[in-house]
Amino acid sequence: MTYRPARATASDAATLTLGVEEEYLLLDPRTGESLPVADRVLTALSGSAREQSRQEFRHSMVEMVTPVTADLTELRTHLVALRRSVGDAAEAAGARLVAVGATPVHEPHRTVPDEPRYHAMSRRFGPVAHDPAVCGCHVHVGMSDRELAVQVCNHLRPWLPVVQAITANSPLHDGRDTGHASWRSMQLERWPSIGPTPHFESVADYDATVAELINAGIMLDAAMVYWYARPSAAYPTVEVRVGDVCPAVDDTVLVAGLVRALVATMADDVRARVPARRIRDCLVSAAHWRAAHDGLEGDLIDLRAGVARPAWDLVGELVDTVAPALTRHGDLDYVRDQLARLRRDGNGATRQRRVMARTGDDVRAVLDHLAAETRAA
């Protein structure tokens, strides 16, 4: 039986709101190379789709932002509509919309859009700012109390590698398998302000640290806090930005449901004065590397015990940990059903590799598969 997301009770004060940002690549249907047609695609959008679109750091990328919603059913509807609208605009511009975490073949045009901030980033960070495009999925969970948001981010640290493994969807680079389930994660490590969220004592500690990093030239501004979880610089939310963009809509909705339940559970722990685990940053970084390398097909590091364990064991424990919050939001059956699908079919990286194995490493077949998943309702 396939479950659709249940509707949350919007009047329930314990129901946390959600929003998702998804980044997509625009690829040449023949060669698989990135096409610099984002301006044409964005111009072709109209109505709410245009309002929910964003220019990104590459001419071959577009970002779409869902409206704020209280339940996964509406979130799924928004994602399907946005992917359909931008997919149609991409086809009209001679490109194909593909939800994949990193440039799979080649990106010939790596200049940044003509925006002052992007030019400033290019000058400051040099070749790093001209790496091939990468695409993420950012989940926002409503939280107006910034002090609480900072403490929630502390509590999220042991679990975010598991979320990263679930979303891994970028095994290819230059048309070959990198050996990593998420090559996007490897590319992003070159940026100085990306990585695991540090532990902060308070929102004042957080703000002071960000100010020091800006003064030191590590960041241009507070919007360049690209840690895997953060109080959003733009919205009253906790933003979890560790994941690759997911190929299928139901993958994204699954991740959004899990992230909301994680944030809700960690917020309950903060209110109950349960202390966050103090884990060495080097171990957290190692856990994220392992998640990017193995995805769901191998082991992950259990940061609570400091040992490697089968990935699916940790996924199961994640669900057990957040099950009360999933139940409260009406998401438990849907999340369990979608995780059973992932266990059967694999995450995005595994599904790409299966197409490669079936077709004799035919990258074009992989991109056909990804494009179909991206547009499927």
Side-chain angles (χ1 to χ4, degrees):
M1 178 179 181
T2 299
Y3 293 92
R4 289 300 185 196
R7 289 198 177 270
T9 305
S11 60
D12 185 351
T15 299
L16 300 181
T17 57
L18 273 173
V20 171
E21 301 166 347
E22 286 193 313
E23 299 163 341
Y24 313 106
L25 283 182
L26 302 166
L27 302 183
D28 187 309
R30 296 177 301 101
T31 67
E33 291 187 347
S34 300
L35 283 181
V37 294
D39 286 348
R40 291 168 57 189
V41 171
L42 294 174
T43 300
L45 295 175
S46 60
S48 61
R50 183 69 186 92
E51 294 172 1
Q52 291 159 227
S53 67
R54 303 288 186 273
Q55 184 179 55
E56 260 301 331
F57 197 54
R58 286 285 174 272
H59 293 286
S60 58
M61 293 174 64
V62 293
E63 180 182 59
M64 304 300 288
V65 180
T66 70
V68 177
T69 180
D71 66 77
L72 297 189
T73 300
E74 289 184 0
L75 179 67
R76 190 181 192 282
T77 299
H78 291 315
L79 288 167
V80 169
L82 290 173
R83 287 185 178 208
R84 182 179 296 123
S85 294
V86 73
D88 290 345
E91 289 182 5
R96 185 155 58 173
L97 187 79
V98 178
V100 63
T103 299
V105 178
H106 181 59
E107 182 155 22
H109 308 283
R110 300 188 191 179
T111 58
V112 299
D114 191 18
E115 295 287 341
R117 190 166 184 273
Y118 289 159
H119 287 303
M121 291 170 69
S122 179
R123 290 191 300 270
R124 175 73 57 84
F125 300 104
V128 174
H130 298 276
D131 279 345
V134 293
C135 296
C137 172
H138 305 160
V139 180
H140 289 260
V141 181
M143 187 160 292
S144 57
D145 183 338
R146 291 187 74 241
E147 187 68 59
L148 178 59
V150 167
Q151 298 303 326
V152 164
C153 290
N154 289 338
H155 283 256
L156 288 173
R157 279 160 54 95
W159 292 111
L160 290 186
V162 184
V163 176
Q164 182 180 17
I166 291 170
T167 67
N169 182 41
S170 51
L172 302 182
H173 175 68
D174 280 343
R176 294 184 295 275
D177 194 325
T178 64
H180 291 76
S182 173
W183 188 246
R184 167 184 168 272
S185 299
M186 298 297 99
Q187 280 189 231
L188 288 177
E189 284 190 351
R190 288 157 56 90
W191 287 86
S193 59
I194 293 179
T197 311
H199 183 104
F200 293 104
E201 296 301 327
S202 64
V203 69
D205 183 25
Y206 178 94
D207 290 340
T209 301
V210 171
E212 289 173 2
L213 289 168
I214 293 171
N215 291 337
I218 304 302
M219 303 174 186
L220 295 181
D221 50 43
M224 281 197 72
V225 174
Y226 295 145
W227 294 320
Y228 293 154
R230 66 177 187 177
S232 171
Y235 308 109
T237 64
V238 168
E239 179 184 3
V240 173
R241 46 189 299 119
V242 70
D244 290 357
V245 66
C246 296
V249 164
D250 279 313
D251 297 344
T252 304
V253 180
L254 164 65
V255 171
L258 280 172
V259 168
R260 172 166 65 177
L262 257 176
V263 170
T265 301
M266 299 304 108
D268 289 344
D269 283 352
V270 173
R271 294 186 185 104
R273 300 188 181 278
V274 176
R277 292 176 182 270
R278 299 300 292 260
I279 307 167
R280 292 184 184 276
D281 289 344
C282 61
L283 292 178
V284 179
S285 295
H288 281 289
W289 179 87
R290 191 66 182 263
H293 185 272
D294 287 17
L296 293 176
E297 296 302 308
D299 290 341
L300 298 175
I301 297 176
D302 184 345
L303 286 169
R304 301 163 301 170
V307 297
R309 298 177 55 207
W312 279 102
D313 286 358
L314 286 177
V315 172
E317 291 180 14
L318 167 60
V319 174
D320 290 344
T321 298
V322 303
L326 288 171
T327 301
R328 188 164 77 226
H329 289 91
D331 300 341
L332 183 61
D333 287 340
Y334 177 78
V335 164
R336 284 179 170 167
D337 188 55
Q338 293 305 320
L339 284 172
R341 173 182 61 83
L342 280 194
R343 188 153 199 174
R344 181 187 69 237
D345 298 338
N347 62 8
T350 299
R351 300 200 297 266
Q352 290 184 55
R353 284 170 168 158
R354 286 180 180 167
V355 175
M356 291 277 280
R358 188 173 66 244
T359 61
D361 293 340
D362 185 345
V363 173
R364 184 169 176 177
V366 175
L367 300 182
D368 289 343
H369 160 81
L370 281 169
E373 280 206 314
T374 302
R375 298 293 303 273

